[in-house]
Amino acid sequence: MTDVTGAPVATVDVLNTLFHSEQGGHEQVVLCQDRASGLKAVIALHSTALGPALGGTRFYPYASEQDAVADALNLSRGMSYKNAMAGLDHGGGKAVIIGDPELIEARQRTELLLAYGRFVASLGGRYVTACDVGTYVADMDVVARECRWTTGRSPENGGAGDSSVLTAFGVFQGMRASAQHLWGDPSLRGRKVGIAGVGKVGHHLVEHLLQDGASVVITDVRDESVRRITERHPGIAVAADTDALIRTEGLDVYAPCALGGALNDDSVPVLTAKVVCGAANNQLSHPGVEKDLADRGILYAPDYVVNAGGVIQVADELHGFDFERSKAKAAKIFDTTLSIFARAKDDGIPPAAAADRIAEQRISEARAR
């Protein structure tokens, strides 16, 4: 099917997304297709002002090519801000592969990832890729066979392994900072924390919180993810779904740890928690949600600040990974989060806006050099 210009409608929709998106200003967007393997992917480079763009590869069954492009644009912009706030010498980029990773056979997955690696390599180091939703350490080992600008690999292949460990650690530091700012004590002891999504990152976060003395309520669309937690911690509270979780009475902290858009016009009005601090990217569904949270007296710890532990780890891998060095950098998320809350208070703006200002200043200064 084509429109009146003769161009495929899907192509026109994608171009509209590229040139009219609110998340504009990207340096480069690459649409990738390899017929032999079935690969369809988008690589978006938002900024290389601070250095080579660094960001993960998401493998997800998007409803349309336009949705995939929009997600790549949003995620890559978020990576620019995340890397800037983490103090890394990297710009922001992101890749998305269109498809359902659960339905692809192992051999086809390998061929698809090898093709993807060749596309990343064709950028000549402007983009460094790693894991994200739907991709794993073993996948990065495959990509690395075709592309040396790959991180998040297994220790057997010169990498650091699972980056979700430090991602969860960083989110926990963001929670501690939120508790310090709101309640005057960084401990979560006695606080009730609701976690939506206990997969790669969420299940590590559960452990940090329980060790700190918090009570935890969990939910996940995957029964096996919930079961992994309840088998290890019998009696832990489980909410029927995310809607039930955010309405939980007495909830102190809400941690969205699944896909983006968790904070929206439906969820914010019924949210019982006083703090939102989670691992998911792009939690604010649209501009203005951050003000809605502030108007309700809910403290929002900007997602790209608190979930930066993973990117800190994969960036360190590029220089010869040292876990303790990476953990020490991720621990600074506590101080960074506190500084954002202080800036927000001084400027009379929500924390999300304060974080954006700080990140944009660093990127702008780099461009001016």
Side-chain angles (χ1 to χ4, degrees), residues 65-145:
E65 293 170 359
Q66 186 174 16
D67 288 348
V69 171
D71 204 27
L73 295 178
N74 292 338
L75 291 167
S76 60
R77 178 178 180 271
M79 288 305 304
S80 286
Y81 285 49
K82 178 186 295 190
N83 293 338
M85 289 303 301
L88 301 177
D89 295 325
H90 284 281
K94 204 79 171 188
V96 301
I97 296 174
I98 303 172
D100 191 335
E102 301 296 327
L103 299 181
I104 189 171
E105 296 180 354
R107 181 175 178 180
Q108 183 188 358
R109 187 186 186 101
T110 297
E111 293 302 316
L112 183 149
L113 291 169
L114 290 172
Y116 168 67
R118 292 191 289 273
F119 278 111
V120 175
S122 73
L123 296 174
R126 282 172 53 79
Y127 172 57
V128 181
T129 195
C131 300
D132 195 72
V133 174
T135 59
Y136 301 87
V137 169
D139 295 323
M140 293 305 105
D141 286 344
V142 175
V143 173
R145 286 157 55 183

Side-chain angles (χ1 to χ4, degrees), residues 78-309:
M79 288 305 304
S80 286
Y81 285 49
K82 178 186 295 190
N83 293 338
M85 289 303 301
L88 301 177
D89 295 325
H90 284 281
K94 204 79 171 188
V96 301
I97 296 174
I98 303 172
D100 191 335
E102 301 296 327
L103 299 181
I104 189 171
E105 296 180 354
R107 181 175 178 180
Q108 183 188 358
R109 187 186 186 101
T110 297
E111 293 302 316
L112 183 149
L113 291 169
L114 290 172
Y116 168 67
R118 292 191 289 273
F119 278 111
V120 175
S122 73
L123 296 174
R126 282 172 53 79
Y127 172 57
V128 181
T129 195
C131 300
D132 195 72
V133 174
T135 59
Y136 301 87
V137 169
D139 295 323
M140 293 305 105
D141 286 344
V142 175
V143 173
R145 286 157 55 183
E146 293 283 357
C147 176
R148 64 189 180 93
W149 294 287
T150 306
T151 185
R153 294 163 292 148
S154 68
E156 295 79 10
N157 286 279
D162 185 7
S163 64
S164 65
V165 173
L166 285 186
T167 301
F169 177 73
V171 173
F172 179 59
Q173 298 309 310
M175 282 192 190
R176 293 181 64 247
S178 300
Q180 174 67 51
H181 179 80
L182 195 61
W183 299 304
D185 185 346
S187 174
L188 278 302
R189 180 170 297 279
R191 303 292 178 187
K192 182 183 289 188
V193 181
I195 304 177
V198 286
K200 286 200 286 188
V201 175
H203 83 277
H204 291 299
L205 184 57
V206 168
E207 300 298 329
H208 286 299
L209 289 164
L210 293 178
Q211 289 171 13
D212 199 39
S215 63
V216 179
V217 185
I218 64 171
T219 191
D220 198 296
V221 295
R222 296 175 180 271
D223 291 340
E224 59 269 29
S225 296
V226 172
R227 193 159 49 245
R228 175 170 58 171
I229 301 295
T230 56
E231 288 177 353
R232 181 175 174 83
H233 301 287
I236 196 168
V238 179
D241 53 30
T242 300
D243 185 61
L245 177 69
I246 64 176
R247 296 170 184 267
T248 299
E249 186 176 348
L251 199 65
D252 293 299
V253 182
Y254 170 46
C257 293
L259 295 178
L263 303 173
N264 53 53
D265 295 336
D266 295 323
S267 62
V268 171
V270 298
L271 185 60
T272 60
K274 292 298 183 183
V275 172
V276 176
C277 180
N281 288 308
N282 297 330
Q283 293 171 25
L284 304 175
S285 61
H286 61 79
V289 175
E290 71 281 5
K291 186 177 183 303
D292 294 338
L293 288 165
D295 288 345
R296 289 206 59 219
I298 298 172
L299 181 66
Y300 173 62
D303 49 28
Y304 64 78
V305 175
V306 302
N307 68 12

